[in-house]
Amino acid sequence: MKTSGILRDEVLLHVDDQMIPLNAQINRNALFYEAEAFQHIIEIENHEQCYEWLDESLSIMKVLEAARKDIGIVFPADHA
């Protein structure tokens, strides 16, 4: 598997003596597919999934904020 950052460029499928590259993600923006999935659950009015993802997002952001503060990364907005 080749990667660039968090985005997986391709997966190699080994079939007999052949290697077949697979890549379903053609958009280089790693958040494109997450935003697309979020748009879909809003369109079909799946509020339960929407709120689960929002809660997960908030939890992740709290961990990231605590980690950056622990290592001394401070942004101007932190003083507002």
Side-chain angles (χ1 to χ4, degrees):
M1 179 182 319
K2 292 195 293 185
T3 62
S4 58
I6 63 170
L7 185 65
R8 289 180 176 84
D9 291 334
E10 68 180 27
V11 173
L12 294 175
L13 179 63
H14 297 267
V15 179
D16 296 325
D17 61 346
Q18 296 180 357
M19 288 194 315
I20 303 167
L22 301 174
N23 182 4
Q25 296 185 343
I26 57 175
N27 192 299
R28 300 297 303 163
N29 185 331
L31 295 178
F32 174 84
Y33 299 99
E34 184 175 344
E36 186 177 60
F38 200 79
Q39 177 186 359
H40 174 72
I41 65 167
I42 290 172
E43 287 173 352
I44 64 171
E45 298 182 11
N46 185 343
H47 299 119
E48 182 179 343
Q49 183 68 63
C50 178
Y51 288 118
E52 286 177 17
W53 286 356
L54 287 171
D55 287 343
E56 181 179 356
S57 225
L58 181 59
S59 294
I60 291 167
M61 292 310 301
K62 286 179 179 179
V63 169
L64 291 174
E65 182 176 20
R68 82 170 168 80
K69 286 182 178 180
D70 284 349
I71 61 173
I73 298 174
V74 180
F75 295 120
D78 292 337
H79 302 292

